Amino acid sequence: MEKPNSSTSSLLRTKSDQFVETMAAALAAMKSPVSSSEVAASAIGGGGPEGSSSFHSRKSSRGLAAASPGRSSGHIGKNTHIRKSRSAQMKFDVDDLSSGAALSRASSASLGFSFTFTGFTVPPDEIADMKPYSDEDIPEDLEAGMPKTKKLHTEPTLPIYLKFTDVTYKVVLKGIRTTLEKEILNGINGSVDPGEVLALMGPSGSGKTSLLSLLGGRIREPTIGGSITYNDQPYSKYLKSRIGFVTQDDVLFPHLTVKETLSYAARLRLPRTLTKQEKDQRAIDVICELGLERCQDTMIGGSFVRGVSGGERKRVCIGNEIIINPSLLFLDEPTSGLDSTTALRIVRTLHDIAEAGKTVVTTIHQPSSRLFPKFDKLILLGKGSLLYFGKASEAMIYFSSIGCSPLIAMNPAEFMLDLANGNVTDITVPSELEDRVQMENSEAERKSEKPAPALVHEYLVEAYETRVVENEKKKLRSPTPIDEELKSKVCSTKREWGANWCEQYSILFWRGLKERRHDYFSWLRITQVLATATILGLLWWKSGSNNPEKLQDQAGLLFFISVFWGFFPVFTAIFTFPQERAMLSKERAADMYRLSAYFVARTTSDLPLDLILPVLFLLVVYFMAGLRMNVGSFFLTVVTVFLCIIAAQGLGLAIGATLMDLKKATTLASVTVMTFMLAGGYFVKNVPVFISWLRYLSFNYHTYKLLLKVQYEHISHSINGVRIGDGYKEVGVLLAMVVGFRLLAYLSLRRMELH
């Protein structure tokens, strides 16, 4: 071994001296009040580590920095600054420290030297500070930076044992001439108990979301087979109030804040026995529990609205469900699209929920190596078949037992997903599978030495069915260890609403106003209405007259008003239900409110906002065009336009709710509005008898006649070929349209719900 040169030796001695001085100061600080000058550093033979060590205390403010008098060395000055090194760390054995026989070691990977210090005692109050960090010691939320509060989900709830045996599911694909059945799930078995987290894992298209929806009662079709029980009882509507379901897509209102979103959910879903203040407090507790305090007054946001981050949105969705303290919590890929730290935070939250006695089932696409150990049980799916069910910690042992083991170190989740996809690269191939490849494949495929994915899948399904399935079915047949009284609660058919009809209507009305206030008072919409009004006022500037022959031009203005305020609301209302279909389906599936309460609140919450713009429009047009200068006439004109708007809205709602497709709805609305406009009595005076009935279905026609009556009844009984009547018939027809179109829209929503 070559002797180190003088410069290297000098460096080693300098670092060694610094290390010894650091340790001397540390020992002096840990002893009873003795001055640092009385601490003698032990003489150490050999070299020193490359850098000094620093203590990591649980108190972040406690740092270790020391300086000692210079040693008699030609390489060190009088004052030596002790610097922390990142290349070495001190670790104390706490048990040895507490017994008085302390042993501390610091090692350098680069130089290979080690030092030992013995014979000092650490006071007991210092021992706790020297324990290493753990994830549980971090007192704040990793994303929000806010302290945790008392957990809401620790409240007692009805324990639910979920079991499912031989679950199958098929979908019927109807073509023009043929009808095909596609198998989505085939013979799935499993169970999950309170206090456990069950992960459904598999590649895309393996049936994870379908299985989750079946277990959560979201799919009720005749093509479902097998048995799914909750405390040995079948699914009932009562379970809706016991189940929380977080969908894969974050279905939230973009213009509501985090606090408003959770508060409205609490008021609608929590029992009537709680007051409004108690429900709002429950929402605040959930916000604190999920670490959302920092963003509680921030809008959720969407595609075109800036809002909270992706991790915060996902936690708001989880908060929407855990706010009711559910017994069963289902989540569809809660970590998709999130970074590993945020995903770990969410999975830890789920683990905490399960530890409080809840049953948690979640689909997971590709968990990291830190996430996988958080799951208690695992179901691995491949092409709708069951490849593994059991404890997540025993999955690797099972696959090793059937001859499939990773050849390199890899994440267990990646290993199992490779197997589910039929990819055996870097995975040992069982001899049985190799023999099957030799028998079934051609010579060219034999040379590749890789079995086809279909063969791998077939082997895994057969291996599970022959080795595990029967034992698991025997376990599933055993009765659930729960009292008969708790079992009877599950099969109750009584539906419990969190609020009565009037309260539901009030909550949904104000929620609708807050959500859409940004749309109605956007500068673009206001500019559109005011610009149109100004142009009309300039074109018909002071066109009023008492001569019937000179009123022909002004009658054209009145007809345009009836067309504009018939066309505008129709194409606004068309988007109402198609855009909110996902939210409506989600909230109705959770029994948050009655459909009738939602429908009435949704249609009436638009009215205050819809009626402000017409008033601004008429204030500009009415006086610029020189219409009848009378307070009564102006008021009746406003009321007539209001009736037209409400009737036109009803038509838009009916078309949107019936078709639930924006392209189809827009096309149908365009044809309908154009037909009503042409039959409105302005363009065609003598309509053929066989099609003259169309004008009576046109709200433009009835609005036009009412406007003519309001403006010119004192001048003439006929304007531009249209006879002016008393107006009662026109008002009655418009009111019938208001009710009829809305009734059609409500029945269409009912049909969609049943479908």
Side-chain angles (χ1 to χ4, degrees), residues 256-265 280 283-284 287 292 295-298 300 316:
L256 295 181
T257 65
V258 171
K259 187 176 181 180
E260 288 171 345
T261 300
L262 294 177
S263 295
Y264 285 128
D280 290 343
I284 294 173
I287 288 173
L292 296 169
C295 61
Q296 63 179 328
D297 295 319
T298 305
I300 297 295
V316 172

Side-chain angles (χ1 to χ4, degrees), residues 369-670:
S369 56
R370 293 192 297 169
L371 292 187
F372 189 77
K374 300 290 183 185
F375 303 123
D376 299 299
K377 289 184 178 179
L378 174 70
I379 283 182
L380 181 64
L381 297 174
K383 297 180 181 179
S385 299
L386 187 59
L387 306 183
Y388 175 78
F389 165 67
K391 293 182 179 179
S393 58
E394 298 175 358
M396 296 298 291
I397 300 174
Y398 164 75
F399 285 110
S400 297
S401 69
I402 63 174
C404 299
S405 302
L407 295 174
I408 60 174
M410 65 170 63
N411 179 359
E414 293 180 358
F415 163 74
M416 283 181 272
L417 285 174
D418 282 346
L419 277 179
N421 279 308
N423 178 18
V424 291
T425 306
D426 300 324
I427 297 175
T428 58
V429 179
S431 57
E432 182 182 342
L433 185 56
E434 288 181 341
D435 295 340
R436 192 177 300 181
V437 171
Q438 295 293 327
M439 293 173 58
E440 297 184 7
N441 289 359
S442 62
E443 184 177 351
E445 291 174 327
R446 291 175 197 167
K447 293 180 180 179
S448 66
E449 298 181 354
K450 288 185 179 180
L455 285 177
V456 175
H457 174 76
E458 183 181 344
Y459 171 76
L460 293 174
V461 173
E462 289 180 0
Y464 183 78
E465 289 179 349
T466 55
R467 295 169 183 250
V468 182
V469 166
E470 290 304 320
N471 291 333
E472 288 296 334
K473 285 186 177 180
K474 288 180 181 178
K475 294 179 183 178
L476 294 174
R477 292 190 192 105
S478 61
T480 300
I482 194 170
D483 297 337
E484 291 297 326
E485 182 181 353
L486 295 179
K487 288 184 180 180
S488 63
K489 286 186 177 181
V490 173
C491 60
S492 172
T493 57
K494 184 180 179 181
R495 181 180 292 184
E496 296 180 358
W497 300 103
N500 59 42
W501 194 95
C502 294
E503 291 172 340
Q504 290 177 3
Y505 168 79
S506 176
I507 294 168
L508 295 171
F509 178 86
W510 290 109
R511 188 180 74 170
L513 277 181
K514 286 189 175 182
E515 165 60 23
R516 291 182 295 281
R517 65 187 184 273
H518 302 278
D519 296 334
Y520 284 96
F521 293 111
S522 65
W523 65 270
L524 189 62
R525 236 177 134 148
I526 295 174
T527 302
Q528 178 188 16
V529 171
L530 292 181
T532 303
T534 304
I535 292 172
L536 292 176
L538 293 174
L539 290 174
W540 275 275
W541 178 262
K542 301 300 181 183
S543 58
S545 174
N546 290 327
N547 187 346
E549 295 180 359
K550 294 182 179 180
L551 294 177
Q552 303 298 326
D553 289 343
Q554 200 175 67
L557 171 63
L558 298 179
F559 182 76
F560 181 85
I561 292 174
S562 68
V563 170
F564 181 76
W565 289 110
F567 180 90
F568 199 68
V570 167
F571 285 91
T572 302
I574 276 177
F575 295 88
T576 299
F577 296 123
Q579 284 184 339
E580 292 190 8
R581 181 177 186 175
M583 179 65 74
L584 177 62
S585 300
K586 169 191 167 184
E587 294 181 337
R588 287 289 296 149
D591 265 3
M592 286 182 67
Y593 45 72
R594 295 175 175 86
L595 181 61
S596 57
Y598 165 80
F599 181 82
V600 177
R602 183 63 182 85
T603 54
T604 55
S605 62
D606 287 338
L607 295 181
L609 302 174
D610 280 337
L611 301 182
I612 292 175
L613 291 179
V615 172
L616 296 177
F617 176 88
L618 289 174
L619 284 174
V620 175
V621 172
Y622 200 90
F623 298 103
M624 290 182 68
L627 295 174
R628 189 177 179 185
M629 293 300 171
N630 183 292
V631 175
S633 299
F634 177 78
F635 177 75
L636 290 175
T637 302
V638 172
V639 171
T640 302
V641 173
F642 282 0
L643 275 176
C644 177
I645 290 172
I646 298 172
Q649 270 186 345
L651 177 63
L653 293 172
I655 293 175
T658 303
L659 299 179
M660 280 295 178
D661 182 274
L662 288 178
K663 280 189 175 181
K664 295 178 181 178
T666 304
T667 303
L668 179 59
S670 299

Side-chain angles (χ1 to χ4, degrees), residues 145-459:
M146 302 300 288
K148 294 181 181 178
T149 62
K150 183 180 178 180
K151 294 185 178 179
L152 173 68
H153 52 245
T154 55
E155 296 179 4
T157 185
L158 173 68
I160 293 183
Y161 294 78
L162 175 62
K163 294 181 181 180
F164 43 100
T165 310
D166 292 329
V167 174
T168 60
Y169 176 48
K170 298 178 181 179
V171 287
V172 179
L173 304 176
K174 294 182 179 180
I176 299 176
R177 296 182 178 179
T178 59
T179 300
L180 299 176
E181 279 192 354
K182 182 178 180 181
E183 193 173 61
I184 305 299
L185 296 171
N186 179 28
I188 309 300
N189 304 292
S191 66
V192 58
D193 299 339
E196 294 180 338
V197 179
L198 170 64
L200 310 180
M201 199 169 71
S204 299
S206 59
K208 302 187 299 295
T209 299
S210 297
L211 178 58
L212 190 78
S213 300
L214 286 174
L215 299 179
R218 297 300 177 100
I219 301 177
R220 315 295 299 172
E221 294 182 7
T223 55
I224 300 171
S227 170
I228 302 175
T229 62
Y230 310 81
N231 290 351
D232 294 337
Q233 302 295 326
Y235 179 84
S236 66
K237 288 185 177 181
Y238 171 79
L239 282 171
K240 285 187 177 183
S241 61
R242 299 285 183 181
I243 292 177
F245 199 104
V246 181
T247 57
Q248 184 174 349
D249 299 323
D250 301 331
V251 183
L252 299 167
F253 285 115
H255 292 103
L256 295 181
T257 65
V258 171
K259 187 176 181 180
E260 288 171 345
T261 300
L262 294 177
S263 295
Y264 285 128
R267 294 175 193 174
L268 287 169
R269 303 188 68 180
L270 290 177
R272 299 188 198 181
T273 54
L274 299 178
T275 64
K276 179 182 176 182
Q277 291 73 22
E278 290 173 333
K279 291 182 178 182
D280 290 343
Q281 184 58 45
R282 182 74 68 93
I284 294 173
D285 291 342
V286 170
I287 288 173
C288 296
E289 177 189 344
L290 297 177
L292 296 169
E293 299 99 319
R294 185 183 63 175
C295 61
Q296 63 179 328
D297 295 319
T298 305
M299 284 196 302
I300 297 295
S303 302
F304 305 103
V305 183
R306 290 193 66 178
V308 297
S309 66
E312 290 166 339
R313 284 173 63 90
K314 186 61 69 175
R315 280 185 279 167
V316 172
C317 291
I318 295 175
N320 255 333
E321 302 304 322
I322 68 172
I323 203 168
I324 62 170
N325 192 30
S327 301
L328 265 171
L329 181 61
F330 295 94
L331 305 101
D332 193 3
E333 296 195 16
T335 61
S336 294
L338 305 179
D339 61 87
S340 59
T341 302
T342 307
L344 181 61
R345 163 72 176 157
I346 287 176
V347 173
R348 279 178 180 159
T349 301
L350 301 182
H351 199 266
D352 292 340
I353 293 171
E355 285 183 343
K358 312 295 189 296
T359 305
V360 180
V361 183
T362 178
T363 62
I364 199 81
H365 188 64
Q366 190 170 358
S368 66
S369 56
R370 293 192 297 169
L371 292 187
F372 189 77
K374 300 290 183 185
F375 303 123
D376 299 299
K377 289 184 178 179
L378 174 70
I379 283 182
L380 181 64
L381 297 174
K383 297 180 181 179
S385 299
L386 187 59
L387 306 183
Y388 175 78
F389 165 67
K391 293 182 179 179
S393 58
E394 298 175 358
M396 296 298 291
I397 300 174
Y398 164 75
F399 285 110
S400 297
S401 69
I402 63 174
C404 299
S405 302
L407 295 174
I408 60 174
M410 65 170 63
N411 179 359
E414 293 180 358
F415 163 74
M416 283 181 272
L417 285 174
D418 282 346
L419 277 179
N421 279 308
N423 178 18
V424 291
T425 306
D426 300 324
I427 297 175
T428 58
V429 179
S431 57
E432 182 182 342
L433 185 56
E434 288 181 341
D435 295 340
R436 192 177 300 181
V437 171
Q438 295 293 327
M439 293 173 58
E440 297 184 7
N441 289 359
S442 62
E443 184 177 351
E445 291 174 327
R446 291 175 197 167
K447 293 180 180 179
S448 66
E449 298 181 354
K450 288 185 179 180
L455 285 177
V456 175
H457 174 76
E458 183 181 344
Y459 171 76

Side-chain angles (χ1 to χ4, degrees), residues 90-123:
M90 283 296 279
K91 293 184 178 179
F92 290 92
D93 189 326
V94 177
D95 295 333
D96 291 341
L97 289 175
S98 60
S99 63
L103 177 64
S104 171
R105 295 182 179 88
S107 62
S108 171
S110 57
L111 296 177
F113 296 105
S114 63
F115 296 90
T116 302
F117 296 86
T118 60
F120 60 87
T121 305
V122 180

